[in-house]
């Protein structure tokens, strides 16, 4: 169980603002801090890890005080036993893959665990290589293995998947989820990807300008109670061509190019480059399971 | 014809001792300088860099004054510790350490500053003490800078003339290093001897610097 109250003045791109957050996370839960960049998500994570000092804070982990600014208590990051995955992975360039994971072992730690983690994260072939020779997805797996090797009681993931392509990201989501469930570690992920949060987290704290503006299950937070029977996609018009009495519209939605038909009165107000929203009935679409 | 190789030996002894002392103090100092945020940091940085721009004779002059038994510092050293630094090998070492300090501090400080901060953070999270972080994470990752800094400091000490001239004088076996000996031999019109010392210094400097470039090239690959 984490109970945290954190206040800190932050400097953002539009001047300074106050990070003022109060949150409670039950043991073994997987939660997400969600929101645009620059709202204080990473700072909050760093305060929990002890890498940054808040102006005023009270953080308790399973009843132990980690930070109490009023009592001038601040437990060093070394003693908090958290696992932290950094945005840039922060692998030690001088050590091999295995060396990085072994470095995380604490005194009297279980050496067998290193082998298990190397096996589990599919790093066997890579274990004697240096980090600089690895791809993004591989580095990511090393970073996760290292974070888990220290047998943390709290796992903090700072946008760990943002630099990866969709396919690898999907695979790693799966692995993280499996590991988190089997080890039962309380986990906090920072993300600005709705799909990711939906997939991984049981609970979301939505943040804006230093405050938690909404919290609850991803379904509750993202649909905000208004489930609709329609698909909405936003996209950009790439081409607009007359076609008999109608218009053919080519729209870029995400990475997909979609061709749709527009009525003449709709087409009149549109031009190439416009941002548009496509709304369509969601009733009974084809559903194909992905592996 | 036989040559007195004593000055060469003294030069390399001076450079080795100086480099060893420099390595032990300048590397931790560079680390401190890289992460400190104290207000008078620019003053410290300026002081460290002064030997780069000052004529060596200026530094030598002030050190000579300080080491002189007439001066309170020299008097204190002489009286309390029984050490006389002016015109002694020990004095030369101290002067060389000060004089070559920026040559090792600059590259090492820059290398520390270029390391991502997340490396230190990650090691802290993994429960490592500052000392463990320093020796196992930071130092191994700035190896090229350590090598070039150390070698530059060594080479610079070998090439030193002005400071040695001022505070060392020209005592055989004590302060008569190769650069001084060359000057001395030329004055005495012993060109062959001067040529011998010069040749050895030229070659050894070439080899030393070449090693640095080769090592750094390998490290960059």
């Amino acid at each position: 169980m984490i109970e945290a109250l954190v206040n800190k003045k932050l400097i953002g791109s539009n001047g300074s603002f106050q990070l003022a957050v109060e949150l409670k996370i039950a043991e073994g839960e997987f939660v997400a801090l969600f929101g645009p960049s620059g709202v204080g998500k990473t700072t909050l994570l760093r305060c929990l890890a002890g890498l940054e000092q808040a102006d005023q804070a009270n953080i308790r982990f399973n009843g132990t005080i980690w930070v109490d600014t009023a009592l001038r208590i601040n437990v060093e990051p070394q003693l908090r036993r958290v696992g932290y995955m950094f945005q840039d992975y922060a692998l030690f360039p001088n050590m091999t893959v295995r060396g990085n994971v072994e470095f995380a072992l604490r005194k009297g730690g279980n050496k067998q665990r290193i082998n298990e983690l190397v096996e589990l994260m599919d790093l066997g072939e890579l274990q004697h290589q240096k980090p600089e020779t690895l791809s993004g997805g591989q580095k990511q797996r090393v970073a996760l293995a290292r974070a888990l090797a220290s047998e943390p009681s709290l796992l903090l993931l700072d946008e760990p998947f943002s630099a990866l392509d969709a396919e690898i990201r999907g695979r790693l989501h799966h692995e993280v989820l499996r590991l988190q469930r089997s080890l039962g570690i309380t986990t906090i992920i920072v993300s600005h990807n709705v799909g990711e949060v939906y997939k991984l987290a049981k609970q979301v704290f939505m943040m804006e300008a230093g405050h938690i503006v909404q919290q609850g299950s991803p379904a509750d937070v993202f649909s905000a109670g208004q489930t609709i029977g329609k698909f909405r996609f936003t996209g950009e018009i790439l081409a607009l061509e007359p076609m008999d009495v109608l218009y053919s519209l080519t729209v870029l939605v995400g990475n997909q190019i979609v061709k749709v038909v527009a009525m003449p009165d709709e087409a009149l107000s549109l031009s190439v480059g416009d941002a548009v929203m496509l709304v369509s009935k969601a009733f009974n679409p084809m559903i194909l399971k992905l592996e | 014809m036989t040559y007195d190789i004593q000055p060469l030996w003294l030069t390399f002894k001076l450079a080795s001792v100086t480099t060893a002392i420099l390595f032990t103090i300048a590397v931790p100092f560079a680390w401190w300088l890289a992460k400190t945020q104290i207000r008078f940091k620019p003053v410290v940085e300026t002081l460290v860099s002064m030997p780069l721009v000052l004529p060596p004779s200026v530094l030598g002059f002030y050190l000579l004054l300080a080491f002189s038994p007439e001066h309170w510092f020299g008097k204190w050293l002489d009286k309390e510790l029984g050490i006389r630094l002016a015109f002694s090998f020990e004095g030369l070492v101290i002067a060389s350490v000060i004089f070559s300090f920026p040559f090792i501090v600059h590259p090492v400080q820059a290398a520390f500053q270029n390391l991502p901060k997340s490396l230190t953070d990650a090691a802290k999270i993994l429960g490592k003490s500052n000392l463990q972080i320093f020796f196992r994470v930071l130092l191994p990752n700035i190896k090229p800078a350590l090598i070039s800094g150390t070698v530059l400091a060594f080479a610079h000490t070998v090439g030193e003339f002005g400071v040695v001239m001022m505070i060392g004088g020209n005592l055989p076996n004590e302060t008569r290093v190769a650069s001084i000996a060359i000057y001395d031999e030329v004055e005495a019109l012993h060109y062959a001897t001067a040529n011998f010392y010069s040749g050895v210094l030229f070659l050894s400097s070439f080899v030393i610097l070449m090693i640095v470039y080769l090592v750094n090239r390998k490290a960059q690959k």
Side-chain angles (χ1 to χ4, degrees):
Chain A
M1 169 92 138
I2 306 169
E3 296 156 282
L5 191 150
V6 177
N7 278 297
K8 186 176 168 76
K9 195 176 168 189
L10 297 180
I11 315 265
S13 47
N14 305 318
S16 67
F17 65 99
Q18 195 73 24
L19 174 71
V21 166
E22 192 175 356
L23 49 78
K24 241 184 217 183
I25 299 167
E27 182 150 18
E29 252 201 290
F30 200 138
V31 306
L33 298 176
F34 176 86
S37 39
V39 298
K41 302 188 301 288
T42 295
T43 306
L44 178 57
L45 213 60
R46 290 175 64 83
C47 285
L48 289 176
L51 294 173
E52 228 161 290
Q53 261 41 275
D55 301 330
Q56 193 212 337
N58 193 324
I59 302 174
R60 279 161 197 272
F61 182 76
N62 288 344
T64 318
I65 298 178
W66 272 359
V67 180
D68 192 328
T69 40
L71 295 174
R72 291 173 185 271
I73 295 176
N74 181 24
V75 176
E76 286 177 18
Q78 280 93 332
L79 302 173
R80 295 194 191 186
R81 292 217 100 151
V82 300
Y84 197 112
M85 245 171 89
F86 293 83
Q87 239 165 0
D88 66 351
Y89 313 127
L91 299 177
F92 305 119
N94 58 314
M95 303 177 199
T96 60
V97 165
R98 199 188 169 81
N100 265 280
V101 182
E102 272 174 345
F103 192 64
L105 210 61
R106 305 209 176 216
K107 250 187 205 155
N110 182 2
K111 286 216 172 111
Q112 191 53 40
R113 195 179 166 86
I114 303 298
N115 292 329
E116 282 168 22
L117 280 168
V118 166
E119 200 66 30
L120 197 67
M121 299 307 295
D122 207 9
L123 296 169
E125 304 258 306
L126 305 169
Q127 60 177 314
H128 300 300
Q129 289 187 34
K130 291 274 175 76
E132 61 184 6
T133 64
L134 306 181
S135 71
Q138 291 167 336
K139 283 184 189 167
Q140 215 271 342
R141 268 156 38 208
V142 180
L144 186 58
R146 189 179 68 183
L148 291 171
S150 62
E151 302 183 49
S153 35
L154 172 65
L155 187 60
L156 305 172
L157 311 172
D158 186 6
E159 294 194 30
F161 309 111
S162 55
L164 305 175
D165 64 52
E167 196 199 323
I168 299 174
R169 199 185 320 168
R171 262 211 342 256
L172 284 163
H173 283 159
H174 200 71
E175 276 173 34
V176 166
L177 209 54
R178 193 169 48 95
L179 280 169
Q180 196 270 339
R181 282 193 189 145
S182 65
L183 301 170
I185 306 174
T186 312
T187 305
I188 306 177
I189 186 171
V190 163
S191 174
H192 53 234
N193 181 326
V194 176
E196 187 166 283
V197 172
Y198 229 101
K199 217 159 146 188
L200 295 175
K202 275 221 170 118
Q203 215 194 353
V204 194
F205 295 93
M206 196 189 268
M207 286 179 67
E208 258 168 47
H211 295 270
I212 292 176
V213 288
Q214 242 185 322
Q215 69 181 77
S217 74
D220 289 345
V221 168
F222 291 127
S223 55
Q226 39 170 327
T227 320
I228 48 167
K230 285 175 178 165
F231 289 124
R232 286 163 193 265
F233 306 106
T234 51
E236 184 190 339
I237 299 180
L238 298 179
L240 179 66
E241 292 150 347
M243 191 181 72
D244 299 330
V245 292
L246 299 169
Y247 280 82
S248 148
L249 211 57
T250 311
V251 186
L252 178 69
V253 176
N255 279 325
Q256 287 189 46
I257 296 174
V258 186
K259 263 204 159 156
V260 294
V261 169
M263 305 303 277
D265 53 330
E266 283 176 325
L268 272 178
S269 61
L270 299 173
S271 57
V272 173
D274 281 354
V276 288
M277 179 179 273
L278 307 177
V279 183
S280 164
K281 283 203 177 88
F283 175 69
N284 192 24
M286 279 205 290
I287 299 173
L288 306 171
K289 187 173 158 68
L290 297 175
E291 271 317 314
Chain B
M1 187 168 184
T2 55
Y3 297 109
D4 179 14
I5 61 155
Q6 201 61 46
L8 287 170
W9 159 239
L10 200 62
T11 290
F12 289 105
K13 186 170 127 190
L14 175 66
S16 308
V17 173
T18 303
T19 309
I21 294 175
L22 267 179
F23 192 82
T24 27
I25 54 175
V27 175
F29 183 82
W31 184 37
W32 173 79
L33 205 54
K35 45 178 219 156
T36 187
Q37 284 171 345
I38 50 162
R39 232 177 332 149
F40 53 91
K41 181 174 175 175
V43 179
V44 179
E45 284 179 311
T46 309
L47 278 176
V48 169
S49 303
M50 282 296 270
L52 290 177
V53 291
L54 271 186
S57 44
V58 172
L59 188 69
F61 173 66
Y62 283 126
L63 285 172
L64 185 64
L65 284 190
F67 292 165
S68 139
E70 306 289 312
H71 189 267
W72 69 264
F73 180 68
K75 202 189 275 173
W76 175 81
L77 279 178
D78 194 12
K79 222 172 120 191
E80 301 295 326
L81 306 170
I83 305 174
R84 285 203 175 199
L85 289 176
F87 305 112
S88 73
F89 182 74
E90 291 74 20
L92 277 194
V93 169
I94 291 175
S96 305
V97 165
I98 297 173
F99 195 48
S100 295
F101 203 56
F103 286 84
I104 188 160
V105 169
H106 281 172
V108 174
Q109 183 193 349
F112 277 131
Q113 277 165 349
N114 284 335
L115 284 181
K117 202 184 164 289
S118 61
L119 291 183
T120 308
D121 285 344
K124 269 190 199 165
I125 292 280
L126 296 175
K128 307 299 170 189
S129 68
N130 285 338
L131 217 59
Q132 283 172 311
I133 295 173
F134 182 70
F135 283 108
R136 295 197 53 197
V137 175
L138 301 178
L139 277 193
N141 286 316
I142 59 157
K143 228 187 257 168
L146 284 180
I147 294 172
S148 51
T150 312
V151 174
L152 277 178
F154 184 91
H156 188 241
T157 311
V158 169
E160 187 177 299
F161 179 78
V163 176
V164 185
M165 192 69 176
M166 292 298 283
I167 70 156
N170 188 8
L171 306 172
N173 291 341
E174 182 70 24
T175 62
R176 191 173 191 250
V177 296
S179 57
I180 301 287
I182 292 167
Y183 178 77
D184 207 40
E185 299 296 347
V186 170
E187 282 234 294
L189 300 177
H190 296 152
Y191 286 166
T193 321
N195 194 11
F196 168 71
Y197 293 146
S198 303
V200 172
L201 285 192
F202 187 92
L203 271 181
S204 51
S205 304
F206 181 85
V207 170
I208 289 169
L209 288 178
M210 184 86 176
I211 289 170
V212 179
Y213 284 114
L214 288 178
V215 167
N216 275 351
R217 225 172 71 141
K218 213 177 137 197
Q220 271 161 19
K221 272 184 188 166

